[in-house]
């Protein structure tokens, strides 16, 4: 509500420019009130972030897929089929083929730069969407039966460009590469965590990765969000069973 009072006051003193300034300042204060200080960045971030068009998003997604598929020096037909089947099941055969044709034309004319693509996406997508991108890329890497070290390194590099935290990266990786205490890694906690800490971690992760948090029109990313949410639930159920909760 403060933003509207500030806008009215700004208009009274400085007309239209004052109204805009008042609205921005009021939004900042509202953000602080809602989150106790942590919401200020999100207030301005939501106001200034540009939306990426579905066509641009699909082409950039496909470009990142191409980078991961080539990461280990061999182009796996199973990984290629995984991407094609995913796009066909998500968009339909005709649209998927159109996306691939456009990608091939662009790929012939321009070198694919992971850093440039990620910079573009950082400015236009929410953090939750970028997490699902990593989930999708790991799915591609695993399509041939295993995720190779070069593929892990390349996805880790992409995660850095996407400004994804190390803990989030390791949580997603744990969904595809099984290791000791895997369920705990997915929930981003240590095995020594108390039962209350486990429950809190699950609530945090369930909220963080709920499909409703992924504000995007892209169906491929929405499906990835659902898959990741299921992995979080599965990890929690595994810990519950282990501890008899």
């Amino acid at each position: 509500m403060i933003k509207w009072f500030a806008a009215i006051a700004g208009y009274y003193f400085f007309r239209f420019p004052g109204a805009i300034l008042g609205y921005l300042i009021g939004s900042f204060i509202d953000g602080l009130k809602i989150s106790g200080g942590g919401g200020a960045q999100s207030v301005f971030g939501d106001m200034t972030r540009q939306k990426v068009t579905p066509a641009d998003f699909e082409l950039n997604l496909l470009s990142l897929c191409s980078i991961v598929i080539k990461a280990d020096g061999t182009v796996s037909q199973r990984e290629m089929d995984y991407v094609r089947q995913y796009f066909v099941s998500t968009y339909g055969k005709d649209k998927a083929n159109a996306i691939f044709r456009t990608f091939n034309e662009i790929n012939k004319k321009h070198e694919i730069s992971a850093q440039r693509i990620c910079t573009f996406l950082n400015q236009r997508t929410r953090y939750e969407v970028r997490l699902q991108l990593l989930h999708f890329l790991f799915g591609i890497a695993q399509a041939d039966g295993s995720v190779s070290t070069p593929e892990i390194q390349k996805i880790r590099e992409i995660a850095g460009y996407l400004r994804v935290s190390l803990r989030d990266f390791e949580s997603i990786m744990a969904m595809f590469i099984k290791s000791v205490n895997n369920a705990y890694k997915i929930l981003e906690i240590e095995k020594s965590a108390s039962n209350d800490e486990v429950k809190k971690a699950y609530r945090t992760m369930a909220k963080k990765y709920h499909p409703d948090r992924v504000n995007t029109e892209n169906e491929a990313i929405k499906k990835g969000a659902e898959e990741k949410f299921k992995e979080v639930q599965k990890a929690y159920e595994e810990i519950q069973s282990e501890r008899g909760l």
Side-chain angles (χ1 to χ4, degrees), residues 55 58-59 62 84 87-88 91-106:
E58 291 150 10
L59 289 174
L62 196 53
R84 176 168 288 280
F87 270 75
V88 169
Y91 303 110
K93 187 175 181 179
D94 291 341
K95 184 175 179 181
N97 287 336
I99 294 170
F100 280 112
R101 282 196 300 271
T102 304
F103 169 74
N104 289 332
E105 291 172 5
I106 293 175

Side-chain angles (χ1 to χ4, degrees), residues 17 20 40 50 103 147 149 156 161 163 184 201 203 216:
I20 295 176
Q50 305 174 51
F103 169 74
V147 184
T149 299
R156 187 188 300 273
Y161 291 146
R163 301 174 188 167
Y184 292 93
R203 289 194 297 269
T216 177

Side-chain angles (χ1 to χ4, degrees), residues 58-169:
E58 291 150 10
L59 289 174
N60 280 289
L61 173 60
L62 196 53
S63 296
L64 291 179
C65 295
S66 174
I67 291 171
V68 171
I69 289 173
K70 297 175 182 176
D72 54 8
T74 59
V75 178
S76 166
Q77 187 60 48
R78 291 172 71 179
E79 291 177 345
M80 294 277 289
D81 290 342
Y82 177 92
V83 175
R84 176 168 288 280
Q85 289 169 8
Y86 207 98
F87 270 75
V88 169
S89 66
T90 301
Y91 303 110
K93 187 175 181 179
D94 291 341
K95 184 175 179 181
N97 287 336
I99 294 170
F100 280 112
R101 282 196 300 271
T102 304
F103 169 74
N104 289 332
E105 291 172 5
I106 293 175
N107 196 18
K108 289 176 184 177
K109 299 176 183 177
H110 304 282
E111 181 181 350
I112 298 176
S113 166
Q115 185 172 10
R116 185 174 65 246
I117 292 169
C118 293
T119 298
F120 175 85
L121 293 174
N122 286 342
Q123 296 170 346
R124 295 165 173 81
T125 60
R126 293 167 57 89
Y127 186 76
E128 292 84 359
V129 173
R130 301 200 292 276
L131 291 178
Q132 303 312 325
L133 276 171
L134 289 186
H135 187 274
F136 183 65
L137 295 178
F138 267 113
I140 294 168
Q142 194 189 48
D144 60 357
S146 64
V147 184
S148 67
T149 299
E151 287 172 330
I152 294 173
Q153 292 173 341
K154 181 55 66 175
I155 298 175
R156 187 188 300 273
E157 178 186 327
I158 290 172
Y161 291 146
L162 289 174
R163 301 174 188 167
V164 170
S165 73
L166 179 60
R167 292 192 72 181
D168 282 337
F169 171 79

